[in-house]
Amino acid sequence: MSPRPLQIIVADDDAMILDVARHALRSEGYDVIAVKNGELALHQAQFKGPALVILDGSMPVMDGYAALAAIKSDAATTSIPVLMLTARRNADDVRRAIDLGASGYIAKPFETRVLLQRVRSILNPAATHTPTAGGPSSLIEIAVAGECLAP
């Protein structure tokens, strides 16, 4: 019996982004649940307990920042890592996401290889990062236009 694939929730109101992310993640063996807003992502996170949640910043009903805050404030979901995948590129938005507990931030447009690299590094930090002064968990990478930058 093979191990169950890791489950990832992806929330974005853009169907094309959902399709691209779902296809890329499934091609790497992940089980993907795609939803259209932050409220649905929050409910799925509470119900499914995924390995990772990927959130767009701007969505109807509940945006990604509100969903991130809710995920990190709920004892049942606080340990689930969250990756922001959003068109919001300014430093205030990045800082807000990090302050709310995001494990990473990728600005759109994005390259699927960068998304997959970031997902792997969040889900298996020991395999993708060398120890730094603060340890692997202190490293937040920000991907903008296909490049990963550490703030």
Side-chain angles (χ1 to χ4, degrees), residues 7 25 44 59 62 70 107 135-136:
Q7 192 169 68
L25 293 165
Q44 287 294 320
M59 295 180 284
M62 177 187 281

Side-chain angles (χ1 to χ4, degrees), residues 1-143:
M1 176 189 258
S2 61
R4 284 181 43 183
L6 294 176
Q7 192 169 68
I8 298 175
I9 295 170
V10 180
D12 201 304
D13 59 327
D14 184 327
M16 187 175 75
I17 297 293
L18 277 179
D19 286 344
V20 168
R22 180 177 30 225
H23 177 74
L25 293 165
R26 284 185 177 160
S27 74
E28 294 292 311
Y30 298 108
D31 178 23
V32 180
I33 298 172
V35 297
K36 296 180 181 181
N37 64 60
E39 183 177 66
L40 293 172
L42 174 61
H43 291 304
Q44 287 294 320
Q46 291 167 331
F47 179 67
K48 299 281 189 174
L52 175 66
V53 176
I54 300 173
L55 298 170
D56 181 21
S58 301
M59 295 180 284
V61 183
M62 177 187 281
D63 73 18
Y65 295 91
L68 170 60
I71 288 168
K72 292 302 179 178
S73 67
D74 183 339
T77 57
T78 192
S79 65
I80 299 170
V82 177
L83 173 63
M84 297 299 292
L85 177 62
T86 179
R88 294 182 179 182
R89 296 172 158 262
N90 72 55
D92 290 338
D93 290 322
V94 174
R95 179 64 48 212
R96 180 178 172 206
I98 292 168
D99 289 347
L100 288 170
S103 297
Y105 197 100
I106 300 176
K108 295 175 189 172
F110 67 99
E111 295 180 29
T112 56
R113 70 171 178 79
V114 172
L115 173 64
L116 294 173
Q117 176 186 34
R118 193 66 193 112
V119 166
R120 283 190 296 270
S121 71
I122 290 170
L123 294 177
N124 192 3
T128 55
H129 290 296
T130 56
T132 59
S137 63
S138 70
L139 180 62
I140 300 287
E141 291 178 357
I142 301 167

